[in-house]
Amino acid sequence: MKPWLTYIRVIVIAVLAVIIVRTLFVTSCFIPSSGMENTLYRGEGVLVGKWSYGWRVPLQSVFGYKRLLPDDVKRGDIVVFNNPMPADTSTAVDGRELYISRCIGVPGDTLMLNSQLIAEGSDVFSPDTKALYSYPAEAEESVCDVLNSLGIKGNQLAGYTQEGNYIRSFSYYEHYLVTQRLNGKVELLPLYPEKSRKSYPFVVPGKGVPVKIYPWNAALISNMITLHEKRKSYLQGDTVYVDGKPQKEYTFSQDFYWMASNDPVNISDSRLFGFVPENHIIGKALRIWYPARKGRFMQKIQ
């Protein structure tokens, strides 16, 4: 065989090998912004494992969404995914721009957010964030009964106000549960109203699990049904209509995730585009192959 034919064969085999590896196993992307600093810096190239959560079959517009050997996204993973809310929603999912963020909410989790999904200061509420509340001393027995019925243990009195009211510390989610159970019989007042933030529980949807629709999540759920379920949905008042029928709850056909940037000022994450559906997930960011700083070559991303 002539030498030039050998060279051509080697080149063709090398190109095919690269294509196969990039298509089936590993791809790469560059960090476009400072949103993930100090974990990842702008301009760094990262390797993304396409099998991290099962291999997503390409050409979704042709074959539909399929994933071989699927696995769950873990809380804390840094994930690469397609833009869930592009300017042109007719663009195929796997043809949209790439985003990278840390997953902080998996199906079944409850996140405390304001009704616009953006908390004061652009930070995301955690269900465990604590605040102090006061209530009349004569309501102590009722409050204790509710705490016991909800299985909230170890919540001790934090003190007393000058007026003699009792003070307890509740997380945002505990406050929501206790208030619902008290049903207006006792009012839990924030001890420092100027620091209190109106937040609501948002359940991260899971496949096949009904999600209740409330006034604070109605707009988000209606948008998700339109964008990701491809069904006709609209909001009238606080009521979500799907295919012309009012809904009190909705069951989604796939899992969703809440993604957050490291930088609270950079909101190119779920605060901007809501929950990320599983069919938009590409894979887990594994290692840095093009470092922006010394000593970071092939550093594990975590």
Side-chain angles (χ1 to χ4, degrees):
M1 181 179 295
K2 297 180 180 180
W4 62 271
L5 288 177
T6 301
Y7 293 142
I8 291 177
R9 176 179 292 182
V10 170
I11 292 172
V12 169
I13 292 175
V15 170
L16 289 175
V18 170
I19 293 174
I20 291 172
V21 169
R22 284 181 59 87
T23 302
L24 297 180
F25 301 104
V26 178
T27 188
S28 67
C29 70
F30 287 90
I31 307 302
S33 69
S34 60
M36 290 304 295
E37 295 183 358
N38 292 317
T39 302
L40 295 168
Y41 294 93
R42 184 198 300 265
E44 288 190 322
V46 300
L47 296 176
V48 182
K50 285 196 166 184
W51 280 97
S52 304
Y53 311 116
W55 183 64
R56 189 180 70 172
V57 176
L59 301 177
Q60 287 190 45
S61 58
V62 177
F63 302 110
Y65 170 63
K66 295 180 177 62
R67 194 177 291 271
L68 304 181
L69 302 176
D71 198 5
D72 297 329
V73 177
K74 309 297 189 300
R75 196 183 297 106
D77 285 357
I78 293 182
V79 182
V80 175
F81 53 94
N82 295 106
N83 183 1
M85 193 182 293
D88 182 4
T89 56
S90 65
T91 304
V93 170
D94 43 9
R96 299 175 183 177
E97 61 185 314
L98 303 185
Y99 282 141
I100 182 168
S101 295
R102 187 183 299 276
C103 175
I104 66 168
V106 299
D109 284 354
T110 299
L111 299 173
M112 301 304 290
L113 308 163
N114 72 7
S115 56
Q116 286 77 40
L117 305 183
I118 303 175
E120 181 181 333
S122 297
D123 56 343
V124 176
F125 281 114
S126 163
D128 299 321
T129 301
K130 297 283 187 177
L132 294 173
Y133 298 87
S134 67
Y135 55 88
E138 58 268 22
E140 171 67 2
E141 184 175 349
S142 298
V143 172
C144 287
D145 288 343
V146 168
L147 292 175
N148 290 331
S149 68
L150 292 172
I152 299 175
K153 300 179 180 179
N155 190 309
Q156 303 296 323
L157 281 175
Y160 309 90
T161 67
Q162 292 182 348
E163 298 77 21
N165 291 341
Y166 284 16
I167 300 173
R168 285 185 188 270
S169 174
F170 294 106
S171 71
Y172 289 109
Y173 191 43
E174 288 172 344
H175 178 263
Y176 167 75
L177 294 175
V178 172
T179 301
Q180 291 290 100
R181 190 63 62 89
L182 288 170
N183 196 27
K185 297 176 182 177
V186 179
E187 188 175 10
L188 303 178
L189 298 174
L191 195 61
Y192 304 104
E194 70 280 3
K195 295 183 179 179
S196 64
R197 300 167 177 176
K198 191 63 175 177
S199 60
Y200 303 92
F202 283 74
V203 176
V204 183
K207 180 179 179 179
V209 180
V211 176
K212 290 185 178 180
I213 300 174
Y214 299 100
W216 58 83
N217 69 357
L220 174 63
I221 288 181
S222 180
N223 288 336
M224 292 169 64
I225 293 170
T226 300
L227 281 172
H228 307 309
E229 297 285 299
K230 304 303 181 184
R231 299 182 66 182
K232 185 178 180 180
S233 176
Y234 63 92
L235 191 64
Q236 186 172 319
D238 291 329
T239 303
V240 174
Y241 287 79
V242 179
D243 299 330
K245 298 179 181 179
Q247 307 291 319
K248 293 185 178 180
E249 61 182 27
Y250 188 84
T251 303
F252 287 92
S253 61
Q254 58 181 318
D255 288 334
F256 287 79
Y257 302 91
W258 184 271
M259 304 294 182
S261 302
N262 284 359
D263 183 356
V265 177
N266 186 311
I267 61 169
S268 294
D269 57 17
S270 286
R271 291 169 293 171
L272 176 66
F273 44 67
F275 294 108
V276 178
E278 66 174 69
N279 68 343
H280 285 57
I281 302 293
I282 296 173
K284 182 180 179 181
L286 302 175
R287 293 185 181 273
I288 299 167
W289 70 267
Y290 185 83
R293 303 189 178 191
K294 291 182 179 180
R296 291 172 61 81
F297 179 68
M298 294 310 291
Q299 179 176 307
K300 186 177 181 181
I301 300 171
Q302 54 191 2

